[in-house]
Amino acid sequence: MEDNISYMAKFQPLNEDEQEIVAQAAEIIKASITIPCTACRYCVDDCPKKIAIPDYFAIYNNLKRFGGPQGMVARTYYGNLTQAHGKASECIKCGKCEQHCPQHLPIREYLKDVAGELEG
């Protein structure tokens, strides 16, 4: 245990410049995420259509982040997932997913975006 904690013997917190760099990096990362889903999966438990919401959001985010070359891969992956799960366009707008979302995301609206991009 002493060996595990020894690295903290000379601990120095980040200075203001370093904290600013970390904050800037965090903003860049946040800006590159279209749908801020944490993939907790609470939204899928009560979905009557068994839509793989976090998985579809991850595919959509990757498509938006990496652009055109990601298109075929994203659509293929999405198509494979829809073999076992409901499509984004099959959402019946019941809102059960949004009731369980800790981020309070407008999931039904995001699913429209996903369907438009990946099913079109």
Side-chain angles (χ1 to χ4, degrees):
M1 185 164 100
E2 288 179 13
D3 183 44
N4 287 342
I5 61 172
S6 66
Y7 78 95
M8 294 295 288
K10 296 179 183 177
F11 173 77
Q12 291 185 357
L14 297 176
N15 64 38
E16 286 185 33
D17 290 338
E18 293 167 328
Q19 288 180 12
E20 179 61 29
I21 291 169
V22 170
Q24 288 174 1
E27 286 303 314
I28 291 168
I29 292 167
K30 285 193 321 190
S32 73
I33 299 171
T34 307
I35 301 175
C37 174
T38 62
C40 67
R41 305 198 74 80
Y42 296 138
C43 57
V44 298
D45 291 339
D46 288 337
C47 179
K49 293 297 187 175
K50 305 297 182 210
I51 298 171
I53 298 165
D55 301 307
Y56 296 167
F57 288 173
I59 294 168
Y60 183 82
N61 280 337
N62 282 336
L63 179 59
K64 292 299 182 181
R65 183 179 301 142
F66 301 114
Q70 183 68 19
M72 187 179 354
V73 173
R75 286 178 185 81
T76 300
Y77 187 34
Y78 177 79
N80 289 339
L81 279 172
T82 61
Q83 299 301 309
H85 303 281
K87 293 180 179 181
S89 62
E90 293 174 345
C91 174
I92 60 172
K93 315 282 185 271
C94 68
K96 290 180 181 181
C97 53
E98 292 178 6
Q99 293 171 6
H100 296 292
C101 180
Q103 285 78 39
H104 308 289
L105 299 176
I107 294 170
R108 294 174 284 183
E109 289 300 314
Y110 286 147
L111 285 173
K112 282 184 197 174
D113 296 339
V114 170
E117 191 72 41
L118 297 173
E119 294 178 23

